[in-house]
Amino acid sequence: MSLIYDNRPYKTRIKECLADDFKVAAIKKAQDVFYDKRNSVVDEVPEWLDFRAEAAAIRDHVLNNLDYYVNQFAENAEKAGSKVHFAFDDKEATQIALQILRDREAKMIVKSKTILTEEIGLNEVLEEAGIEVNETDLAEFILQTAVSPPSHIVVPGLHFERNRIRDIFAEKLGYTGTENPEEMTHFVRGYVRERFLKADVGVNGCNFAVASSGTCTIVSNEGNGRMASSIPKTQLVFLGTERIVPDFKALDIMMEMLNRSAVGSKISNYFSMMTGPQKPGEADGPEETHIIIIDNGRSGILGGTFQEMLRCIRCGACMNICPVYRHISGHGYGSVYPGPMGAVLTPLFKGYEVAGDLPYASTLCGACTENCPVAIPLHELLMEHRHIMADIEKTRPKAEEAIFTAAAKVFGNATLFDLGTKAGAIGMNMISNNEGNMPKWTQAVPVMGGWTKSKEMGSLKFKKFRDLYAEHEKNKKKKENK
């Protein structure tokens, strides 16, 4: 899977998503649960807004001095025994990983959940090279088995019902048990643990990298990240350049924000800190650790209008409140980064030609901005995308541009606006039916069909409030003059 996994037209994707009743219901239920839990644990922290401001300041400080912190992290990671590699884009990152695996004649890897490897399409590259890839996070395991893209960045298998999971396991893995979640989980656990013991290489992401010590951290609820980092002899860690904090004090603040915002919990079940490979006398850990630091478009965002987007800590809080995500689900975006954060980030990585519709997948209500733990002004950045596409790069259809240019002139001139509304009232009254609504035949007209198909629009009245008010004032003066 790569960053964009569905290249079909935006409208095609969302129609398909809206027609999936189970998926829509599952997303709504999950949003309600996560939002309520998030509010509950946030309300327990009176200083939440202070923490939020400090977290945003930490992220801005790192981004404004990113070259320094990347170098500091790399130096300290190598002092701790890790080997650090730098990758400019997804192709370079996957080729570095592939070469490391080939040098060790690796045949099998185990992976903990890492959205960055989905962004760069790691699995496909390794599988094409004949290397067996095993996802070990339960949700990611389900997606890999079902060959399905994620629908959320924190709970990627949200769109699957238990009956379907049971059928998939039975068909592809020979599962003979029931649809009971606990029973299916035990089955997956046994299946995956065998691969932990056989795997040549373990692959992990990194929630935050600590520059002062060269430490990589993993946050998980299943312990699979720790298994992948402890058992295989070789460990690969994939790190986005922006996912760095200066020190452990800053890490403490970021963890406070991440756990509460992501799943509404005070702490995660597992939190692992890895500083280099296994040391003498330690019971477990890899013999060698490789850290691949990936740019993949991030440096192009630095110093520009959208730099604040790089604050993102991938908690999913914005999609847990977004009304658009609630209806079209993550699959409506066609990107491994869905929701408001994906609608901002994906066009920055892939351009408006590929992802230009995503900034319009928003009501601009601002709920995403309000819930973001690092105060990213998401709705403002979405609006900025629209401004750039419409006014600077002129990527919108010419007909749309002409219509809105004409509308701007009309709305900006009181006389034209008054004449336009009166002319519109006359026109709508001429075609309205006896009930005063737009008739059904208008649905067949290409220009207005999409507008009138799903609704009945009341016709405009020729006399507007201003006209009535002016008449009222005129009559009032007449009475006063008598």
Side-chain angles (χ1 to χ4, degrees):
M1 190 181 304
S2 57
L3 177 59
I4 299 289
Y5 59 77
D6 192 342
N7 287 306
R8 292 179 300 166
Y10 174 66
K11 289 185 178 180
T12 301
R13 298 197 303 267
I14 62 172
K15 284 180 180 178
E16 184 178 284
C17 292
L18 291 171
D20 190 331
D21 293 336
F22 174 82
K23 184 188 294 186
V24 172
I27 295 293
K28 289 180 179 179
K29 182 178 180 180
Q31 271 196 328
D32 293 340
V33 170
F34 284 141
Y35 184 62
D36 289 344
K37 290 176 66 177
R38 179 256 182 202
N39 285 349
S40 177
V41 294
V42 165
D43 290 343
E44 294 176 359
V45 185
E47 307 88 355
W48 177 259
L49 292 180
D50 294 331
F51 275 127
R52 185 175 187 247
E54 188 168 1
I58 289 170
R59 299 296 294 133
D60 283 342
H61 171 72
V62 170
L63 294 173
N64 290 331
N65 301 276
L66 193 57
D67 54 345
Y68 171 80
Y69 284 111
V70 168
N71 287 330
Q72 184 185 33
F73 169 78
E75 289 175 1
N76 288 325
E78 290 188 335
K79 286 179 183 177
S82 299
K83 298 177 183 178
V84 179
H85 312 261
F86 293 91
F88 176 71
D89 57 17
D90 53 352
K91 291 183 177 59
E92 189 171 0
T94 54
Q95 289 306 306
I96 290 172
L98 184 58
Q99 190 59 52
I100 292 171
L101 293 171
R102 282 173 172 166
D103 289 345
R104 284 143 194 82
E105 298 182 348
K107 301 291 188 247
M108 177 194 293
I109 72 163
V110 285
K111 280 181 71 223
S112 66
K113 181 176 178 292
T114 156
I115 197 168
L116 181 57
T117 59
E118 294 179 8
E119 175 190 323
I120 65 175
L122 177 68
N123 287 15
E124 289 75 14
V125 172
L126 298 187
E127 287 169 349
E128 286 177 8
I131 297 171
E132 180 182 333
V133 177
N134 294 282
E135 295 286 356
T136 62
D137 173 84
L138 178 58
E140 291 289 350
F141 180 89
I142 294 170
L143 296 182
Q144 184 182 33
T145 306
V147 192
S148 172
S151 56
H152 194 284
I153 62 172
V154 178
V155 278
L158 192 60
H159 55 289
F160 278 101
E161 56 183 328
R162 64 180 68 179
N163 291 338
R164 189 178 171 201
I165 295 172
R166 191 264 171 207
D167 292 342
I168 291 169
F169 284 176
E171 177 187 349
K172 298 192 175 183
L173 304 176
Y175 175 66
T176 58
T178 70
E179 64 187 37
N180 180 277
E182 185 175 347
E183 187 176 354
M184 290 191 288
T185 300
H186 279 297
F187 170 77
V188 174
R189 185 175 296 166
Y191 186 92
V192 168
R193 281 185 175 175
E194 181 183 346
R195 281 149 181 79
F196 276 127
L197 297 173
K198 293 181 178 180
D200 305 295
V201 176
V203 175
N204 290 287
C206 179
N207 288 94
F208 298 105
V210 183
S212 62
S213 63
T215 301
C216 294
T217 66
I218 302 175
V219 181
S220 71
N221 286 316
E222 299 174 23
N224 59 305
R226 184 170 296 176
M227 296 278 280
S229 66
S230 301
I231 299 177
K233 293 183 178 181
T234 301
Q235 180 189 27
L236 279 182
V237 179
F238 289 82
L239 169 65
T241 53
E242 84 283 13
R243 301 302 296 276
I244 296 177
V245 294
D247 48 37
F248 286 104
K249 180 180 178 181
L251 175 65
D252 185 44
I253 294 171
M254 302 314 301
M255 290 302 300
E256 180 80 17
M257 309 307 289
L258 177 63
N259 289 318
R260 293 174 187 266
S261 299
V263 292
S265 65
K266 297 178 183 178
I267 60 174
S268 62
N269 289 341
Y270 295 89
F271 176 63
S272 302
M273 295 189 290
M274 305 165 293
T275 309
Q278 180 181 9
K279 306 294 190 300
E282 292 183 341
D284 55 29
E287 295 177 0
E288 57 177 336
T289 297
H290 295 263
I291 302 172
I292 303 176
I293 302 178
I294 304 170
D295 184 304
N296 205 33
R298 288 156 174 78
S299 60
I301 303 172
L302 282 174
T305 305
F306 296 95
Q307 177 173 303
E308 290 167 301
M309 190 60 230
L310 293 179
R311 290 183 196 159
C312 182
I313 60 174
R314 308 295 194 267
C315 67
C318 59
M319 58 194 73
N320 291 342
I321 191 64
C322 177
V324 175
Y325 176 88
R326 186 179 184 89
H327 289 88
I328 70 172
S329 82
H331 294 157
Y333 298 84
S335 167
V336 297
Y337 296 127
M341 59 83 70
V344 176
L345 197 58
T346 305
L348 295 174
F349 285 160
K350 291 297 183 179
Y352 295 129
E353 298 80 6
V354 175
D357 284 324
L358 296 188
Y360 291 88
S362 171
T363 63
L364 300 180
C365 63
C368 52
T369 297
E370 184 179 345
N371 280 265
C372 177
V374 287
I376 302 172
L378 289 161
H379 71 291
E380 294 178 7
L381 297 180
L382 289 168
M383 193 65 188
E384 183 60 23
H385 270 313
R386 297 185 189 186
H387 163 66
I388 292 172
M389 284 189 284
D391 299 335
I392 299 176
E393 297 199 5
K394 309 289 185 182
T395 61
R396 306 308 296 168
K398 295 298 180 183
E400 179 182 304
E401 182 179 346
I403 289 170
F404 280 99
T405 299
K409 290 181 180 179
V410 172
F411 284 117
N413 185 293
T415 302
L416 290 175
F417 181 78
D418 187 54
L419 291 173
T421 53
K422 288 180 177 179
I426 294 172
M428 290 187 71
N429 286 331
M430 288 175 65
I431 64 173
S432 63
N433 57 26
N434 294 332
E435 289 76 32
N437 292 320
M438 299 293 284
K440 295 293 184 182
W441 63 261
T442 58
Q443 297 178 13
V445 180
V447 177
M448 64 176 68
W451 178 48
T452 62
K453 186 175 183 180
S454 61
K455 63 182 75 69
E456 294 281 348
M457 298 295 294
S459 58
L460 294 175
K461 302 301 181 184
F462 184 77
K463 283 191 175 182
K464 302 183 296 298
F465 174 78
R466 283 196 305 171
D467 296 328
L468 296 173
Y469 182 77
E471 288 182 9
H472 170 76
E473 289 296 304
K474 186 177 180 180
N475 293 332
K476 183 179 177 181
K477 288 181 179 180
K478 285 182 179 180
K479 290 180 180 180
E480 290 175 351
N481 292 332
K482 286 183 178 180

